[in-house]
Amino acid sequence: MATKRVMAALLAAPLGALLLGALPANASPDPKLSVSDVQLSKTAVSVSGLAVTKVDVTVKAGYNSDDPQDENTVLTVYLDRTAGSGIDSIGTVALKRTAGTLKNGTWTGVLNVGSAANGTFKVTGVGDGVYGDMGGGMPDDPTAFDGPSLAVTGTHIPKVSHVQTPAVVPAGKPYSIKWMVTDTATGKPYGTPVPLELGNGFSCQETATHGVTVKTDAAGNYIEKFTAAEQGDDICGSIRVDPYPTTADRFYAKRSGVLSAVPSKTSAKVGTNVPVNGTLTGYATGCRVYLQKLRGASQWRDVGSALVRSSGRFTLTATPAVKGKIYYRAHLPEGCGGYIELISKTFTITGL
């Protein structure tokens, strides 16, 4: 079953590692929120495998509002990593007010901790609303708070990985992804179905946007099928520890295409700009294609570039610098939207 697709955003941007738990950049904290104290019921926990350990959280805060609609305001405590490696930050479930008033109250709830949080985290802020909630726009930044730390000892941490079939997808062809969840300590599955959250495009880029949740088989495997029209999106699979994603795998499906480039003229006076019209098959909007010129017997050098338009077309500019036949080609480096390296047929422009 394929997940619903959203048009891929920022196709040409480097994918890099998924910044799990990171909130989108924003302007400022909510001026109505003030925080006086944050307490964790534990200073250290041990978590193994797919288990989740709960830590009670208590916040003393005030929300300076007389609006009745704010009476049910919930809070989220955010913790950032200070030691170890892995997910950058974690957050609590929505904390509800259990004592006092909106302007001077106590909010309580839990922090769910998975084994992938192995390391030390420190309370750095409190935000109003649920974890990373986008709502109708960007959320307020958390109100900074220098709070307690939590040491997490994670063992048998899960790993999410994938295998693509075929290994390189031709433009206009369907493909599938086999997701796999294994124990990093043993390299083997856990022997039980694992909830796996799958997404693409925007749902891979925002921590609060949930994808589609599926379950692997007992061997930790799940096969997701994609149609020919679903090339070009970044794809992600993660294990979510409510409310944040933890272990994840994010990538573009590796694919091929046809890159072509034809000069508008085959000869031109030295110093004259010659448009070179090209096309790249497949969803390629925003990919950068380079014009290369042959120097010597085999050395190709970049001499210009252009972005692929939504039509799949691009226009490069060749400028003969010397008299005689000059060899050119278009080049797409590996990486943009999952494309493997592509090179057009060589063409010539004679400088006059």
Side-chain angles (χ1 to χ4, degrees), residues 5 26-27 98-100 104-105 130 155-156 167 195 223 232 241 254-255 260 276 283 305 311 319 335-337 352:
R5 295 290 170 252
N26 199 35
T98 53
N104 183 17
V130 300
T155 55
H156 293 278
I223 295 178
V241 174
K254 187 168 286 189
R255 57 182 174 142
S260 63
V276 177
Y283 179 72
S305 68
S311 62
T319 307
C336 180
L352 302 177

Side-chain angles (χ1 to χ4, degrees), residues 164 177 198 277:
Q164 175 183 319
I177 298 295
L198 307 180
N277 300 310

Side-chain angles (χ1 to χ4, degrees), residues 36-319:
S36 59
D37 190 31
V38 177
Q39 296 180 7
L40 304 179
S41 63
K42 300 176 182 178
T43 58
V45 295
S46 296
V47 195
S48 180
L50 302 171
V52 174
T53 295
K54 296 182 181 298
V55 176
D56 294 328
V57 181
T58 302
V59 175
K60 293 187 181 298
Y63 195 75
N64 188 21
S65 172
D66 295 314
D67 188 340
Q69 294 184 348
D70 290 332
E71 281 295 323
N72 294 322
T73 295
V74 297
L75 302 180
T76 297
V77 173
Y78 294 92
L79 299 88
D80 290 335
R81 179 181 292 280
T82 58
S85 61
I87 56 178
D88 294 327
S89 65
I90 57 180
T92 65
V93 301
L95 308 181
K96 297 181 180 180
R97 181 161 55 89
T98 53
T101 65
L102 178 64
K103 293 185 178 181
N104 183 17
T106 300
W107 279 257
T108 59
V110 299
L111 169 68
N112 292 314
V113 184
S115 62
N118 183 49
T120 302
F121 290 81
K122 179 179 176 59
V123 172
T124 56
V126 179
D128 57 288
V130 300
Y131 177 85
D133 185 15
M134 293 296 289
M138 298 297 286
D140 292 310
D141 279 341
T143 296
F145 187 83
D146 185 9
S149 293
L150 177 70
V152 181
T153 301
T155 55
H156 293 278
I157 299 170
K159 175 184 178 181
V160 179
S161 59
H162 75 279
V163 172
Q164 175 183 319
T165 302
V168 177
V169 187
K173 297 294 183 181
Y175 63 101
S176 66
I177 298 295
K178 179 183 178 181
W179 295 98
M180 299 169 290
V181 178
T182 53
D183 180 342
T184 53
T186 65
K188 298 179 180 180
Y190 291 96
T192 184
V194 180
L196 189 62
E197 187 172 293
L198 307 180
N200 76 293
F202 293 119
S203 60
C204 289
Q205 296 158 13
E206 304 296 350
T207 59
T209 304
H210 291 242
V212 175
T213 300
V214 300
K215 277 195 174 183
T216 69
D217 58 22
N221 300 324
Y222 181 83
I223 295 178
E224 185 179 14
K225 295 183 178 180
F226 296 80
T227 68
E230 294 178 310
Q231 292 187 18
D233 286 354
D234 49 330
I235 300 168
C236 58
S238 64
I239 295 174
R240 184 174 288 268
V241 174
D242 186 32
Y244 55 90
T246 59
T247 307
D249 185 17
R250 182 182 176 191
F251 57 94
Y252 285 109
K254 187 168 286 189
R255 57 182 174 142
S256 64
V258 178
L259 179 67
S260 63
V262 178
S264 60
K265 298 178 181 180
T266 56
S267 61
K269 289 184 179 180
V270 171
T272 301
N273 291 336
V274 178
V276 177
N277 300 310
T279 58
L280 175 58
T281 58
Y283 179 72
T285 304
C287 284
R288 184 169 292 278
V289 176
Y290 293 84
L291 178 67
Q292 295 187 323
K293 181 169 69 174
L294 181 64
R295 293 183 179 179
S298 59
Q299 192 172 42
W300 291 93
R301 294 287 183 87
D302 294 342
V303 293
S305 68
L307 295 177
V308 179
R309 302 186 290 273
S310 59
S311 62
R313 299 176 181 177
F314 57 89
T315 303
L316 297 161
T317 301
T319 307

